[in-house]
């Protein structure tokens, strides 16, 4: 189910060539713990929208997402949880349309202009990523190669790869859309100096093989957002340790006074057009260990 429910709730955004089903049971678990609606939404070129052309700019992805939500009658303001490329889309959405985003949770994301390219995608993964995504491999071999880059705590990689391969056959992400999504991520967007009044939590993993955790640290420091680090999870933290992610969000909402709070549409909380403003916050919380 990809259609978001009308009214405020959590919108979940995936990363490069991933779709809503790759959250597995995470949205249901998040909704259960927080007692708030949580729905995963696909970006063009992925999942139920696999026939559409992926935008080559982050702004185009934001515009497509807003059209999809508006068509479903979901006006917001939304709480947004996003990973990797989805985090770029979420942050740009909050920047451009502050009335529509109540708060953010960013997982293992990165931004052009805040971290060097070799941290945004680790160089040792360049050949592996190109081989996995561009060579004529079977769906299962390709998904297995991707999982070996993005996960660390999976006990049944072959079983997961088989399931993901079936999804890829059902909703194939074409090479043209892969290139378009990569181009959009590489281009990025004008990063604001300030996002006053926007509550956000940054989650990362120090063992991420794809993206250096320092990218998340720099995001947290730039806007004074709390940072929590998982010591041994992979890039896809919601799959590697979903309970840790859910508990981190629950604690943050409680400590921030956001639990049960509903932002009314139209109520301004932060400035969306902050590209040319100056100033930088630099305090992030200490690492948090996962539950045993």
């Amino acid at each position: 189910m990809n259609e978001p429910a009308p009214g405020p709730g959590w919108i979940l955004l995936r990363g490069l060539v991933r779709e809503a089903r790759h959250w597995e049971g995470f949205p249901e678990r998040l909704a259960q713990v927080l007692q708030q609606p949580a729905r995963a939404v696909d970006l063009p070129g992925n999942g139920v929208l696999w026939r559409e052309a992926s935008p080559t700019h982050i702004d185009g992805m934001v515009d497509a997402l807003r059209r999809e939500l508006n068509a479903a009658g979901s006006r917001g303001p939304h709480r947004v949880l996003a990973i990797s490329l989805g985090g770029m889309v979420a942050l740009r959405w909050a920047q451009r349309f502050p009335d529509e985003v109540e708060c953010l949770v960013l997982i293992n994301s990165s931004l052009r202009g805040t971290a060097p390219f070799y941290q945004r995608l680790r160089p040792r993964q360049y050949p592996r990523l190109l081989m996995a995504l561009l060579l004529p491999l079977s769906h299962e071999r390709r998904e297995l190669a991707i999982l070996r880059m993005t996960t660390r705590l999976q006990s049944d990689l072959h079983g997961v790869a088989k399931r993901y391969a079936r999804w890829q056959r059902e909703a194939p992400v074409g090479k043209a859309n892969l290139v378009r999504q990569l181009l959009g991520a590489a281009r990025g967007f004008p990063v604001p100096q300030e996002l006053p009044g926007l509550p956000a939590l940054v989650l990362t993993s120090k063992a991420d093989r794809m993206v250096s955790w320092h990218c998340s640290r720099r995001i947290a420091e730039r806007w004074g957002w709390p940072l929590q680090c998982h010591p041994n999870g992979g890039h896809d933290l919601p799959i590697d340790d979903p309970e840790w992610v859910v508990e981190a969000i629950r604690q943050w909402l409680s400590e921030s006074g956001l639990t049960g709070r509903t932002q009314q549409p139209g109520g301004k909380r932060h400035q969306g057009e902050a590209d040319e403003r100056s100033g930088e916050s630099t305090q992030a919380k200490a690492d948090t260990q996962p539950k045993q």
Side-chain angles (χ1 to χ4, degrees), residues 126-188:
Y126 294 173
R128 296 175 183 175
L129 187 63
L130 289 174
M131 289 176 60
L133 298 177
L134 298 179
L135 288 184
L137 303 175
S138 68
H139 289 305
E140 190 167 339
R141 287 184 63 192
R142 179 175 291 110
E143 292 299 332
L144 187 60
I146 293 173
L147 285 166
R148 284 174 173 157
M149 289 185 284
T150 59
T151 67
R152 291 180 63 91
L153 304 180
Q154 294 298 305
S155 60
D156 183 19
L157 276 181
H158 288 274
V160 177
K162 186 174 182 179
R163 182 163 64 253
Y164 287 9
R166 184 178 72 251
W167 297 343
Q168 177 64 200
R169 288 190 292 269
E170 294 170 355
V173 179
K175 290 184 179 180
N177 274 339
L178 163 63
V179 173
R180 295 172 72 86
Q181 290 176 38
L182 283 170
L183 183 58
R187 283 172 168 167

Side-chain angles (χ1 to χ4, degrees), residues 43-118:
L43 295 173
N46 305 314
V48 298
L49 304 179
W50 67 272
R51 293 181 178 86
E52 298 187 14
S54 298
T56 57
H57 293 82
I58 298 297
D59 279 345
M61 299 180 191
V62 171
D63 293 339
L65 172 63
R66 295 180 69 242
R67 286 194 299 269
E68 184 177 358
L69 293 173
N70 288 335
S74 186
R75 307 298 182 210
H78 304 284
R79 299 181 172 199
V80 185
L81 186 155
I83 182 170
S84 198
L85 173 62
M88 302 180 210
V89 177
L91 189 58
R92 184 59 168 166
W93 182 16
Q95 179 189 353
R96 290 177 57 196
F97 304 98
D99 293 346
E100 298 178 7
V101 178
E102 183 181 2
C103 63
L104 294 178
V105 176
L106 304 178
I107 303 175
N108 286 327
S109 195
S110 67
L111 295 173
R112 181 180 179 181
T114 64
F117 73 92
Y118 56 84

Side-chain angles (χ1 to χ4, degrees), residues 250-282:
R250 188 198 65 77
Q251 288 183 3
W252 170 68
L253 291 174
S254 178
E255 294 170 0
S256 303
L258 291 167
T259 302
R261 193 182 85 182
T262 301
Q263 177 75 24
Q264 295 301 317
K268 284 195 176 285
R269 303 169 296 94
H270 60 92
Q271 298 297 318
E273 301 300 327
D275 295 358
E276 299 180 0
R277 297 173 66 100
S278 61
E280 186 170 317
S281 301
T282 57

Side-chain angles (χ1 to χ4, degrees), residues 11-45:
I11 299 298
L12 278 60
L13 301 176
R14 269 279 167 182
L16 184 72
V17 301
R18 301 285 85 172
E19 61 162 274
R21 285 181 290 186
H22 287 103
W23 289 104
E24 302 277 3
F26 184 85
E28 292 79 10
R29 181 58 178 159
L30 185 72
Q32 178 186 39
V33 171
L34 301 184
Q35 292 296 294
Q36 297 169 354
R39 298 295 180 94
V41 179
D42 286 325
L43 295 173

